[in-house]
Amino acid sequence: MDNQGSSLKAGSLLLLLLLVSNLLLCKSVDSLPICPSGAVNCEVSLRDLFDRAVILSNYIHNLSSEMFTEFDKQYAQGRGFVTKAINSCHTSSLSTPEDKEQAQKIHHEDLLNLILRVLRSWNDPLYHLVSEVRGMQEAPDTILSRAIEIEERNKQLLEGMEKIISQVHPGVKENDIYSVWSGLPSLQIADEDSRLFAFYNLLHCLRRDSHKIDNYLKLLKCRIIYDSNC
């Protein structure tokens, strides 16, 4: 009985720590907008921009992981979606390093532009994800709230990346290259199994790409701000 009671207490403590951690991260994100509300041409140091970008990217990845897990538990059990979701992301047309070792070999200017392209590639699908989740029957509020939050934070991170690039390479004209998403019809198809797989695949890709961006930004922060001494 004592062991069971100790396990319950330990589990409760772990849950409390996780809740506090998420709350602190959320407050950190809310307290670190790229610019104060209403400001257009605010001046923020490159170090601060990277700090804010890393916090945002980590927050987006955590949210996307939670949303994917929730959707998987609610809709995908026993459907075999995981075997079909390999290498079918709309951003696969962008050549992205798969791990830290590969990313280390890429010049920081190219890696910054790659992050920008991936973020832009998600503007359209995130917008439609929110609108389509709203129309899903019995969709948990947690999935919708996370989709809304990720869409907003992705815009903020994109704005931050544009400011970082303007400081790292002032005067360099940005390109508008990004990967076009054409998956809206799949989210609206009548066949339930096909439609749920389209959602599953999109959330799987979002989790994958948000993880890559988070890793790339941490690497770039170390390289540019700390001269790789971290």
Side-chain angles (χ1 to χ4, degrees):
M1 184 73 177
D2 290 340
N3 288 338
Q4 185 178 9
S6 298
S7 298
L8 287 172
K9 287 181 180 179
S12 298
L13 180 59
L14 178 59
L15 178 61
L16 178 60
L17 288 172
L18 287 171
L19 288 172
V20 171
S21 176
N22 282 339
L23 179 61
L24 290 174
L25 179 57
C26 185
K27 286 186 174 181
S28 296
V29 171
D30 286 335
S31 64
L32 290 173
I34 298 302
C35 277
S37 180
V40 178
N41 294 314
C42 65
E43 292 295 330
V44 182
S45 72
L46 187 59
R47 181 190 294 265
D48 284 345
L49 284 172
F50 264 110
D51 285 343
R52 298 171 192 204
V54 167
I55 289 174
L56 265 177
S57 67
N58 185 245
Y59 182 56
I60 290 170
H61 176 56
N62 286 343
L63 286 176
S64 64
S65 296
E66 292 168 0
M67 184 166 59
F68 175 79
T69 300
E70 181 73 22
F71 187 91
D72 181 61
K73 182 171 62 177
Q74 183 82 5
Y75 297 104
Q77 295 301 302
R79 294 179 183 267
F81 288 166
V82 65
T83 57
K84 296 192 294 182
I86 300 173
N87 296 326
S88 56
C89 299
H90 74 287
T91 52
S92 294
S93 60
L94 300 173
S95 180
T96 57
E98 293 298 326
D99 52 41
K100 185 177 179 180
E101 286 69 29
Q102 289 184 19
Q104 289 279 18
K105 298 175 183 177
I106 299 178
H107 189 272
H108 66 262
E109 181 179 355
D110 295 329
L111 203 52
L112 284 168
N113 282 319
L114 179 58
I115 293 172
L116 207 59
R117 291 169 190 164
V118 175
L119 290 173
R120 286 173 175 161
S121 298
W122 277 102
N123 278 341
D124 195 40
L126 284 173
Y127 171 81
H128 288 291
L129 175 64
V130 170
S131 61
E132 295 304 320
V133 167
R134 279 198 174 103
M136 288 182 68
Q137 290 185 350
E138 300 178 359
D141 291 338
T142 50
I143 292 180
L144 177 59
S145 63
R146 288 186 176 106
I148 292 171
E149 181 76 356
I150 291 171
E151 183 194 12
E152 179 60 30
R153 299 306 182 180
N154 189 73
K155 293 175 184 175
Q156 292 181 359
L157 184 54
L158 180 55
E159 177 190 350
M161 289 309 303
E162 289 169 348
K163 289 183 177 296
I164 285 173
I165 289 175
S166 70
Q167 286 202 29
V168 175
H169 298 289
V172 175
K173 186 178 180 181
E174 296 176 12
N175 63 63
D176 293 327
I177 298 173
Y178 63 94
S179 185
V180 176
W181 178 70
S182 57
L184 182 57
S186 298
L187 298 182
Q188 299 173 332
I189 196 169
D191 179 71
E192 182 184 37
D193 201 61
S194 298
R195 186 175 69 256
L196 289 176
F197 172 69
F199 277 102
Y200 179 93
N201 189 57
L202 188 63
L203 298 183
H204 165 265
C205 293
L206 177 61
R207 182 182 65 167
R208 185 201 74 163
D209 285 352
S210 65
H211 186 232
K212 286 185 177 183
I213 288 173
D214 191 40
N215 286 335
Y216 299 163
L217 271 170
K218 288 171 182 174
L219 186 155
L220 285 167
K221 178 182 175 182
C222 178
R223 188 189 296 179
I224 295 173
I225 301 300
Y226 297 104
D227 197 25
S228 298
N229 186 27
C230 52

